[in-house]
Amino acid sequence: MKLWLNGDIADAGDIRIDPADRGLLLGDGLFETLLVRRGSPVFFEEHLLRLMKGAEVTGMVMPYAPDKIRAACRDLIGANGLEDAPRASLRLTLTRGTGPRGLSLPPEPKPTVLIGTAPAGPPPERLSLATVSARRNPWSPSARLKALTYLDNVVAKEEAREKGAEDALMLDTGGMIACASAANIFVWDGNRLLTPADRGAILPGITRAALLELAPGIGIETREEEIAPERLLRASGVFLTNSLMGLVPVSRIDGREVPAHPMTARLAAAYEVLLDAAAAED
Amino acid sequence: MKLWLNGDIADAGDIRIDPADRGLLLGDGLFETLLVRRGSPVFFEEHLLRLMKGAEVTGMVMPYAPDKIRAACRDLIGANGLEDAPRASLRLTLTRGTGPRGLSLPPEPKPTVLIGTAPAGPPPERLSLATVSARRNPWSPSARLKALTYLDNVVAKEEAREKGAEDALMLDTGGMIACASAANIFVWDGNRLLTPADRGAILPGITRAALLELAPGIGIETREEEIAPERLLRASGVFLTNSLMGLVPVSRIDGREVPAHPMTARLAAAYEVLLDAAAAED
């Protein structure tokens, strides 16, 4: 497998990350995970825009123009023989690079840009969730960014696994529903679609945004609002979204079965059409 | 400068971190920063114990016995010519190592242990603080660990700098005083010493613990409790602590001068004696 690092493609085994990289030492970086369909990264613009916004908020510098990054992704997908793969994943990582010891921003930033790809099987058909103890913090700058700081989510997913579930249901510090360990959550209230409002405790997902735009056009009313955990008890369906999985229905929450909502499949089908259209434009 | 990586000492420029290391990709690791005085790491046992506790909580594996780590530190301090330096810093980093894509724990963990040293000048005589918007989360497993996930603190310190101060005063999500960007905080209430109680939103500092044990013996009453920001307005002194700086008085908070409390210097002197005693035992 090959990786792209700061302008060059090389075998992963020959790629060296500097031990002084702040991405490693301080979680001081951002990333995006994109779905690649038949060689084409899906929602490339949206992912890059989110990365650039995160860079602005955190004072990081992306040293390459969008066109250069797009070409790098294409080159790497080709180098790894994934042009014709039905599904693959691509990860674009930006770190603040190396710097002197301590938290202060380095006077002369030398950012690290790393791109990798991986084969991807089909997404899971269903996922079970368990509510975990780690909660999302609306006052955390990194909570609303796709930052390298994923340890809480790693711990959350492992706690869920220990509880016999496949992913974590994370609340925010106010006790409201936030997200899964690496996915947004949607809740069916009859035929109305609810999702936690973006008040800083969730990552504003690319798929989440696409669905909120798509749903009204096919007759589904959506609302972004605070969702109490109790509300899940009377939900007529729940599903997760992220770029790699798309829409995945939730089968159980804390051991209790969640109804399968027929509209989830309809929305998923409409989302697939949207992905095809996006790929055709590319 | 030389580093120690997984058993070997080499020039930093020859040390390669694997681009698939979860420390880099997910902030999935822990670290300790130790003060080295005349070649001897201060409170080595305490730092290693905290690291091992963090590893247990997060399901990480430290592949080397304490004696091996201690010898590695000694060897590296020697290799970098810091045996006689009055002050230096040593950083011990443990990551979960490489693994397949995603958050799930790797089935066969190959952890990364990295040790580095850096020369250290004298600590600052005083530091000014500004209250920042990022808040510490008591429901975050990583908030109470010295985890690699420091982006919020990096952003907090930069916000403080933009406000004309040298470090950040961070509140917790409940709006109570928590800590600075990489230091605990103590507040003088007359001759009584207060520090935020450890309720998950702060890193339980090694220096903090040492002072709480030391102070009563020299006639200073201490209390760990919730401290409201308003309380700082009538504080008779404030100081920060961490392993590298020891005790550093706070000069200003949000532009308002903080009184210099005479007992801070007395406590700092007692702490220096403690460090000398610890070094003598070593």
Side-chain angles (χ1 to χ4, degrees):
Chain A
M1 195 193 53
K2 291 176 189 296
L3 301 174
W4 187 98
L5 177 68
N6 295 334
D8 296 311
I9 290 179
D11 283 328
D14 294 331
I15 293 265
R16 168 186 181 265
I17 299 296
D18 193 307
D21 197 293
R22 293 169 59 111
L24 172 74
L25 299 180
L26 298 170
D28 195 4
L30 303 165
F31 73 105
E32 292 291 328
T33 301
L34 290 79
L35 173 65
V36 179
R37 292 169 94 230
R38 285 174 288 280
S40 181
V42 174
F43 293 131
F44 176 84
E45 306 288 348
E46 287 80 356
H47 282 282
L48 195 63
L49 185 66
R50 185 168 68 181
L51 188 75
M52 299 306 290
K53 275 188 188 165
E56 196 182 328
V57 170
T58 57
M60 275 180 234
V61 177
M62 164 54 92
Y64 303 103
D67 280 356
K68 172 80 179 167
I69 293 293
R70 187 187 275 274
C73 292
R74 282 224 181 93
D75 292 348
L76 185 67
I77 289 165
N80 283 326
L82 294 169
E83 302 99 326
D84 300 318
R87 292 167 48 82
S89 71
L90 181 144
R91 179 175 158 141
L92 168 59
T93 303
L94 167 69
T95 86
R96 209 185 297 275
T98 58
R101 215 201 67 77
L103 304 187
S104 300
L105 305 192
E108 294 173 31
K110 279 174 272 177
T112 299
V113 181
L114 176 69
I115 311 176
T117 61
E125 286 185 21
R126 279 172 295 280
L127 283 171
S128 57
L129 302 181
T131 308
V132 297
S133 49
R135 292 191 179 187
R136 307 275 303 178
N137 176 9
W139 288 282
S140 160
S142 60
R144 69 198 74 152
L145 301 174
K146 201 156 176 73
L148 300 178
T149 52
Y150 258 68
L151 180 55
D152 277 1
N153 304 54
V154 169
V155 170
K157 188 166 187 180
E158 181 60 13
E159 183 183 333
R161 201 195 56 79
E162 283 166 9
K163 288 178 170 168
E166 290 156 309
D167 202 353
L169 175 61
M170 301 182 81
L171 308 181
D172 63 26
T173 53
M176 295 291 138
I177 298 293
C179 53
S181 72
N184 289 117
I185 189 165
F186 285 81
V187 178
W188 289 106
D189 174 29
N191 287 333
R192 211 174 47 158
L193 190 54
L194 313 180
T195 196
D198 176 8
R199 288 176 188 155
I202 64 163
L203 180 75
I206 307 286
T207 305
R208 175 183 179 276
L211 288 187
L212 288 174
E213 207 180 309
L214 175 68
I218 57 170
I220 298 169
E221 184 193 342
T222 64
R223 282 183 63 174
E224 297 172 68
E225 59 182 41
E226 286 204 332
I227 304 176
E230 299 75 45
R231 192 135 186 189
L232 294 180
L233 296 174
R234 52 175 208 274
S236 28
V238 176
F239 63 87
L240 303 181
T241 64
N242 70 22
S243 294
L244 211 52
M245 297 191 307
L247 285 69
V248 174
V250 170
S251 56
R252 306 179 80 82
I253 298 178
D254 295 329
R256 195 180 39 79
E257 202 163 328
V258 176
H261 195 290
M263 301 276 274
T264 302
R266 189 175 148 194
L267 191 57
Y271 181 69
E272 283 294 311
V273 172
L274 181 72
L275 293 191
D276 285 333
E281 266 174 36
D282 191 49
Chain B
M1 194 192 55
K2 291 176 189 294
L3 300 174
W4 187 98
L5 177 68
N6 294 336
D8 295 311
I9 290 179
D11 283 328
D14 294 331
I15 293 265
R16 169 186 180 266
I17 299 296
D18 193 308
D21 197 293
R22 292 170 59 111
L24 172 74
L25 300 179
L26 298 170
D28 196 4
L30 303 165
F31 72 106
E32 293 291 328
T33 302
L34 291 79
L35 173 65
V36 179
R37 291 169 93 231
R38 285 174 287 280
S40 182
V42 174
F43 294 131
F44 177 84
E45 306 288 348
E46 287 80 356
H47 282 282
L48 195 63
L49 185 66
R50 186 169 67 180
L51 188 75
M52 298 307 289
K53 275 188 188 166
E56 196 181 329
V57 170
T58 58
M60 275 180 234
V61 177
M62 164 55 92
Y64 303 103
D67 280 357
K68 172 80 178 167
I69 293 293
R70 188 188 274 274
C73 293
R74 282 225 180 93
D75 292 348
L76 185 67
I77 289 165
N80 283 327
L82 294 169
E83 302 99 325
D84 301 318
R87 292 167 49 81
S89 71
L90 181 145
R91 178 175 158 142
L92 168 60
T93 303
L94 167 69
T95 85
R96 209 184 298 273
T98 58
R101 214 201 67 77
L103 304 188
S104 300
L105 305 192
E108 295 173 31
K110 280 173 272 175
T112 299
V113 181
L114 176 68
I115 311 176
T117 62
E125 287 185 21
R126 278 172 296 280
L127 282 171
S128 58
L129 302 181
T131 309
V132 297
S133 48
R135 294 192 178 186
R136 308 275 304 179
N137 176 9
W139 288 283
S140 160
S142 59
R144 69 199 74 152
L145 301 174
K146 202 155 177 75
L148 300 179
T149 52
Y150 258 66
L151 180 55
D152 277 1
N153 304 54
V154 169
V155 169
K157 188 166 186 181
E158 182 60 13
E159 183 183 334
R161 200 196 57 79
E162 283 166 9
K163 287 178 170 168
E166 290 156 309
D167 201 354
L169 176 62
M170 300 182 82
L171 308 182
D172 63 26
T173 52
M176 296 289 138
I177 298 292
C179 53
S181 72
N184 289 118
I185 189 164
F186 286 80
V187 178
W188 290 105
D189 173 30
N191 287 333
R192 210 173 48 157
L193 190 55
L194 313 180
T195 196
D198 176 8
R199 289 179 187 154
I202 64 163
L203 180 75
I206 306 287
T207 305
R208 175 183 178 277
L211 288 187
L212 288 173
E213 207 180 310
L214 175 68
I218 57 170
I220 298 169
E221 183 193 343
T222 64
R223 281 184 63 175
E224 297 172 69
E225 58 181 41
E226 286 204 332
I227 304 176
E230 299 76 43
R231 192 137 187 189
L232 294 181
L233 297 174
R234 53 175 208 273
S236 28
V238 176
F239 63 87
L240 303 180
T241 63
N242 69 24
S243 293
L244 211 50
M245 299 192 306
L247 285 70
V248 175
V250 170
S251 56
R252 306 179 79 82
I253 298 179
D254 296 329
R256 196 180 39 78
E257 203 163 326
V258 176
H261 196 289
M263 301 276 275
T264 302
R266 189 174 147 194
L267 191 57
Y271 181 69
E272 283 295 311
V273 172
L274 181 72
L275 293 191
D276 286 333
E281 267 175 35
D282 190 50

Coordinates of all heavy atoms in Angstrom, one line a residue, chain A residues 7 24 27 35 93 146 156 185 254:
Chain A
G7 N 3.5 15.7 -0.8 CA 3.8 15.9 -2.2 C 4.4 14.6 -2.9 O 4.5 14.6 -4.1
L24 N 1.2 13.8 16.4 CA 1.5 12.7 17.3 C 1.5 13.1 18.7 O 0.9 12.5 19.6 CB 2.8 12.0 16.9 CG 3.3 11.0 17.8 CD1 2.5 9.7 17.7 CD2 4.8 10.7 17.6
G27 N -2.0 15.6 19.5 CA -3.3 15.5 18.8 C -3.6 16.8 18.0 O -4.8 17.1 17.7
L35 N -15.5 8.6 1.4 CA -15.8 7.3 0.6 C -15.3 7.5 -0.8 O -15.5 8.6 -1.4 CB -17.3 7.2 0.6 CG -17.9 6.0 -0.3 CD1 -17.4 4.7 0.2 CD2 -19.4 6.1 -0.3
T93 N -5.2 13.7 6.2 CA -4.8 14.2 7.5 C -3.9 15.4 7.4 O -3.0 15.5 6.5 CB -4.0 13.1 8.3 OG1 -4.8 11.9 8.3 CG2 -3.6 13.5 9.7
K146 N -13.3 17.7 13.0 CA -12.8 16.3 12.9 C -11.3 16.4 13.2 O -10.5 16.4 12.3 CB -13.1 15.8 11.5 CG -13.1 14.3 11.5 CD -13.9 13.7 10.3 CE -13.7 12.2 10.3 NZ -14.5 11.5 11.4
A156 N -15.1 5.1 24.2 CA -16.5 4.9 24.2 C -16.9 3.7 23.4 O -17.8 2.9 23.8 CB -17.2 6.2 23.5
I185 N -26.5 10.7 14.3 CA -27.7 9.9 14.6 C -28.9 10.6 14.1 O -29.0 11.8 14.3 CB -27.7 9.5 16.1 CG1 -28.8 8.4 16.3 CG2 -27.9 10.7 17.0 CD1 -28.6 7.7 17.7
D254 N -29.2 -0.2 24.0 CA -29.1 -0.7 25.4 C -29.9 -2.0 25.5 O -30.7 -2.2 26.5 CB -29.6 0.3 26.4 CG -28.6 1.5 26.4 OD1 -27.4 1.4 26.1 OD2 -29.1 2.7 26.6

